[in-house]
Amino acid sequence: MAKGMVRTVLGDIEASKMGFTMAHEHILTNPQGEGTKNNLDHHLDSVPLAIQMLKEFKEIGGGAIIETTPQSWGRNTPGMVTASQESGVHVIACTGYICEEHGMEPELTDWSINYIAERMLHDVQVGMDGTTVKAGWIKAGTAYNHITSNEEKVLRAGARAAMKAGTCLHTHTTAGTMGIEQCEIVLEEGFDMSKFIVAHVDRFPDLWYHRQILKTGANIIYDGPGKAKYYPDSMRIELLQQLVEDGYEDQIMLSNDMGRRSHHKVYGYGPGFNWIKERFLPRLLDEGFSQEVLDKFMIYNPARVYQMEK
């Protein structure tokens, strides 16, 4: 593919066509196994409702969704294709893993790093789940306040696969922890940190911690706005104000990580994909952020980071 393209479930497009992008979301999930989050709330299993949520997003100017559901969390490849076709929203799917708690094959303990990387490459270059629909990026992740041996293998495999495929590597952090350690591991692999993304860091609202990640050249995603059960958005806004003042506005993206039925209006709850654009961004403008900076968070930074380099 040509440099500057993004790999969606409907094929490759120019990154500039992504438009307004939610950088870490879920439209279809079906968690397996006995994990703590394998409950009905985490089953986004309706393709018609996925179409509806994307149509509502499209109506307010939404352009792209970075779909962060790997196979172990119930990736629905045909469903993503249908939802994208019916709504007109670009969907960029992933390969990889969330973290060990949320599903890894028992055999992975015996797999080599390079074998795991080859499996990831297959999803990006050949197709996912027995189809020719390709993943557009690679996912890894770590546990709360520690990294298991299998999670480290996946991180290293993800870095190697992403370098070969030219994709970004985007990680889950449990309660926002271990982001610095993730950076250290992928740096050992020689990874280009401008293509590394650490999600959920606003669950750990520590300015020094966020600065240490950003100093490596990595990108971060604040994906908790509106989730008042953790803490008020005023805290996130204060952190963002300081990081923009520090000059990190080109390394930050915003999203909502809506992986539960109780996050989505189409399932009868809320706030839904439109909340960031309709509520949070207007508040940021009121708090002194410029439209130029918000466009970086929502349009230009995702387009740059998710484009493939080969």
Side-chain angles (χ1 to χ4, degrees), residues 145-215:
N145 273 336
H146 71 288
I147 300 177
T148 71
S149 59
N150 280 341
E151 288 167 351
E152 180 173 345
K153 285 170 66 173
V154 168
L155 264 173
R156 293 186 183 278
R160 294 177 192 183
M163 284 189 285
K164 285 186 178 180
T167 70
C168 67
L169 175 62
H170 172 166
T171 64
H172 161 91
T173 58
T174 301
T177 64
M178 308 309 290
I180 293 172
E181 291 80 3
Q182 289 183 3
C183 290
E184 292 170 346
I185 289 170
V186 297
L187 278 167
E188 288 178 3
E189 293 291 329
F191 197 71
D192 174 2
M193 297 304 284
S194 71
K195 301 294 287 183
F196 190 57
I197 309 164
V198 185
H200 316 325
V201 292
D202 53 327
R203 284 288 307 279
F204 183 9
D206 185 306
L207 180 62
W208 179 89
Y209 169 69
H210 297 182
R211 282 171 168 162
Q212 301 314 300
I213 295 171
L214 290 163
K215 283 178 182 177

